[in-house]
């Protein structure tokens, strides 16, 4: 099993679809949908906004720096 993460964003649905098709032709991959956590940072996506919350990251960092 080989695992590598790829995160990409879009503002052009056609370009997104073209990119996904090109990637799946070249690599075996699965689209797991919207991102919710990345490197301890929570990401919440709405219709017109993206909210990034670093609370868990900050709490973990403050405990480890003592």
């Amino acid at each position: 099993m080989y695992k590598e993460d790829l995160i990409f964003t879009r503002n052009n649905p056609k370009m997104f679809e073209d990119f996904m098709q090109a990637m799946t032709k070249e690599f075996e991959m699965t689209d797991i949908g919207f991102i919710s956590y990345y490197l301890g940072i929570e990401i919440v996506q709405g219709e017109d906004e993206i909210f990034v919350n670093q609370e868990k990251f900050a709490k973990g960092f403050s405990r480890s720096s003592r």
Side-chain angles (χ1 to χ4, degrees), residues 11-40:
N11 62 0
N12 180 322
K14 173 74 171 115
M15 186 181 290
F16 175 84
E17 194 58 41
D18 292 346
F19 179 75
M20 282 293 294
Q21 287 178 5
M23 291 297 289
T24 54
K25 282 181 185 176
E26 185 69 28
F27 305 100
E28 184 178 329
M29 60 184 270
T30 304
D31 179 3
I32 58 172
F34 290 119
I35 189 171
S36 56
Y37 283 92
Y38 183 70
L39 299 175

Side-chain angles (χ1 to χ4, degrees), residues 1 6-8 14 16 21-22 26-27 29-30 33 42 45-46 51 63 65:
M1 171 194 239
L6 171 68
I7 300 169
F8 61 96
K14 173 74 171 115
F16 175 84
Q21 287 178 5
E26 185 69 28
F27 305 100
M29 60 184 270
T30 304
E42 179 183 19
Q45 300 179 57
F51 177 74
R63 276 190 229 124
S65 62

Side-chain angles (χ1 to χ4, degrees), residues 40-51:
I41 299 171
E42 179 183 19
I43 302 167
V44 179
Q45 300 179 57
E47 279 287 319
D48 299 322
E49 63 187 6
I50 298 174
F51 177 74

Side-chain angles (χ1 to χ4, degrees), residues 44-66:
V44 179
Q45 300 179 57
E47 279 287 319
D48 299 322
E49 63 187 6
I50 298 174
F51 177 74
V52 178
N53 180 353
Q54 294 182 294
E55 181 178 357
K56 285 185 180 182
F57 176 81
K59 284 182 179 178
F61 181 75
S62 66
R63 276 190 229 124
S64 65
S65 62
R66 289 181 188 176

